[in-house]
Amino acid sequence: MKRSTIDLWVGLFVAIGIAAVVFLSLKVANLTPQSADQTYTLYADFDNIGGLKVKAPIKEAGVVVGRVAAIQLDTKTYRARVTLNLEKQYTFSRDASAEILTAGLLGEQYIGLLQGGDPDELKPGEHITLTSSALVLEQLIGKFMTSFTGSNNKSSASGAQ
Amino acid sequence: MTELLLSPLRRLGHSTINAIWRLGFITRFLLAILRYSGQSLLRFNLTIREIYFAGVMSVIIVVVSGLFVGMVLGLQGYNTLSRFGSADALGALVALSLLRELGPVLAALLFSSRAGSAMTAEIGLMKATEQLDAMSVMAVNPIARVVAPRFWAGVISMPILAAMFNVMGIFGGYLIGVVMIGLDSGTFWSQMQNNVDLHYDVVNGLIKSLCFGIAVTLIAVFEGYDATPTAAGVSAATTRTVVTSALVILAVDFVLTAFMF
């Protein structure tokens, strides 16, 4: 086989390989060049984050407005400090609230923001003060069980009278 | 009696020493390849020729296998996921299993049987017909002229083939999930995009396939170079290439997975 033919096929091979990698990174991994100057950071402290993970989506009215950048434990208050990376185009008022929600019954957890009515806006680096923790299924069942057995005892006691 | 007891022991010791000797030889061989790579990369058309024979000729088998693996993943994944009411996650399942494991591993296994065995047979036969000795006599270094171009061709081809395998597999999963079963196309892609991370999944998969490429081609050229220069020796070396490559791929895969994910 002639050398130029071989070169042509190898060139095609490498080109298709590069195209495959580009496809994998753009279409499959959804690489969107999001530099730091397009986002700003807010913090939110939660009593319990449940199964929240870094890179979990942050949604306002169901629309993804940012991602969780980091999760740390505040060693003074022993609450979880979640760093939120929000897109610059979305600003939130000072009394906006954040809660940890679950997509579906057993789906992944995300942060749901709820815009408040305060005209003042949260500036980068500030804290969202109104937070509510993740719903931990075990605790919920535990509460349900204790209240259930409690009411059961009461009803049996009233039945004995 | 003592002879009966001792001979298995002796054989065990012999094969252990032999294995360690081969491990040392293969390491020295790798260093020699790297040392003479400069010479052979200067004449890059040798490597391009080998990329043609090892990489381009493997495209068909890799692409077709990738398509079928993706379609099987689509069917099996749909059956299992729909039982838990989460058939929407099919795109993520197909993409993650391909990018992390199946793409690099299966492409490497196919590559070792399609191209690795051919490399071993070729180099082994060159040795058997004393072509390598003839080169040495003419002051041409056989490692620089024959072995190193094949090594680099394998190392370059492997990630490209794995990426093609992944793309075809995802396409196969798309065919089954969206075209045949009728899942929503938008959900399929967005689930995939939400769950696949560029660095964590795509780049790690490529690093894996690069490691497999190094391992498979090194084994192939080594077995060929080390083959007993007879017809039976070349045949045994070819078999050893395929068997050893498969084992090494799976073992290296385990180690890399433990480190990466």
Side-chain angles (χ1 to χ4, degrees):
Chain A
M1 194 176 255
K2 270 171 61 186
R3 195 180 141 191
S4 57
T5 328
I6 288 180
D7 285 0
L8 181 71
W9 279 110
V10 171
L12 203 63
F13 173 68
V14 174
I16 293 174
I18 291 170
V21 173
V22 169
F23 172 83
L24 289 177
S25 17
L26 291 183
K27 184 80 183 172
V28 176
N30 200 18
L31 168 75
T32 38
Q34 202 175 45
S35 53
D37 52 288
Q38 284 172 331
T39 61
Y40 68 101
T41 313
L42 290 179
Y43 298 98
D45 290 356
F46 293 93
D47 291 327
N48 191 337
I49 57 161
L52 190 76
K53 293 196 174 62
V54 172
K55 296 203 91 176
I58 303 163
K59 296 181 183 178
E60 158 73 48
V63 180
V64 177
V65 294
R67 301 240 167 225
V68 171
I71 298 171
Q72 280 147 347
L73 185 68
D74 188 336
T75 44
K76 277 194 194 120
T77 60
Y78 277 85
R79 300 177 81 201
R81 169 158 301 171
V82 177
T83 311
L84 314 175
N85 257 357
L86 295 161
E87 289 175 37
K88 269 234 167 91
Q89 48 179 320
Y90 304 115
T91 51
F92 291 93
S93 67
R94 209 160 267 286
D95 59 346
S97 61
E99 55 184 334
I100 296 175
L101 301 168
T102 311
L105 187 60
L106 296 167
E108 60 168 346
Q109 293 190 302
Y110 64 96
I111 293 187
L113 290 181
L114 200 62
Q115 174 72 313
D118 198 316
D120 286 345
E121 279 170 357
L122 279 170
K123 289 181 193 68
E126 287 191 320
H127 279 74
I128 296 176
T129 43
L130 292 169
T131 59
S132 62
S133 294
L135 205 65
V136 179
L137 208 57
E138 288 87 337
Q139 291 179 353
L140 196 72
I141 293 170
K143 271 181 200 158
F144 176 71
M145 291 298 277
T146 47
S147 70
F148 185 69
T149 50
S151 68
N152 230 12
N153 287 343
K154 238 182 260 169
S155 67
S156 65
S158 65
Q161 273 183 349
Chain B
M1 185 63 198
T2 46
E3 184 56 32
L4 204 68
L5 278 173
L6 281 178
S7 80
L9 270 180
R10 195 173 294 144
R11 241 177 294 145
L12 183 71
H14 176 74
S15 55
T16 310
I17 289 173
N18 204 28
I20 290 177
W21 180 82
R22 284 171 70 85
L23 194 66
F25 189 20
I26 203 169
T27 312
R28 210 158 56 87
F29 193 65
L30 176 66
L31 292 179
I33 290 176
L34 293 178
R35 211 178 115 205
Y36 293 115
S37 288
Q39 278 182 42
S40 70
L41 288 178
L42 281 180
R43 297 182 59 195
F44 199 64
N45 59 321
L46 288 175
T47 308
I48 287 179
R49 217 181 116 80
E50 295 309 325
I51 292 178
Y52 178 80
F53 288 116
V56 179
M57 299 306 254
S58 308
V59 166
I60 299 290
I61 186 175
V62 161
V63 160
V64 173
S65 321
L67 191 66
F68 278 112
V69 167
M71 296 205 294
V72 167
L73 271 179
L75 281 174
Q76 292 281 24
Y78 179 76
N79 276 339
T80 312
L81 287 175
S82 64
R83 208 177 293 170
F84 300 103
S86 47
D88 288 345
L90 185 66
L93 173 98
V94 169
L96 285 180
S97 22
L98 278 167
L99 287 170
R100 288 187 181 178
E101 289 298 328
L102 291 177
V105 171
L106 290 184
L109 288 175
L110 291 169
F111 183 77
S112 84
S113 22
R114 168 69 184 74
S117 55
M119 281 181 194
T120 307
E122 202 182 358
I123 297 178
L125 212 61
M126 280 183 173
K127 192 181 175 190
T129 52
E130 297 177 343
Q131 294 181 42
L132 297 182
D133 295 336
M135 279 180 194
S136 303
V137 169
M138 292 187 289
V140 175
N141 188 325
I143 289 184
R145 180 70 175 73
V146 173
V147 174
R150 282 169 176 75
F151 177 75
W152 286 111
V155 173
I156 293 169
S157 301
M158 196 59 250
I160 297 179
L161 290 171
M164 285 181 188
F165 190 99
N166 287 335
V167 171
M168 287 314 290
I170 288 167
F171 179 64
Y174 175 83
L175 276 185
I176 292 297
V178 177
V179 179
M180 206 181 100
I181 295 175
L183 295 174
D184 182 50
S185 160
T187 320
F188 184 85
W189 289 112
S190 68
Q191 276 284 338
M192 194 185 290
Q193 289 166 355
N194 280 340
N195 288 296
V196 176
D197 185 72
L198 176 73
H199 178 76
Y200 194 64
D201 298 315
V202 179
V203 175
N204 273 353
L206 285 178
I207 293 173
K208 260 190 183 181
S209 59
L210 193 69
C211 295
F212 295 160
I214 294 171
V216 167
T217 353
L218 181 64
I219 290 170
V221 291
F222 172 74
E223 290 291 358
Y225 202 78
D226 187 47
T228 317
T230 57
V234 174
S235 132
T238 314
T239 311
R240 266 205 309 273
T241 297
V242 178
V243 174
T244 321
S245 302
L247 289 176
V248 168
I249 288 166
L250 296 173
V252 170
D253 182 49
F254 172 74
V255 174
L256 287 178
T257 306
F259 272 114
M260 283 172 173
F261 297 106

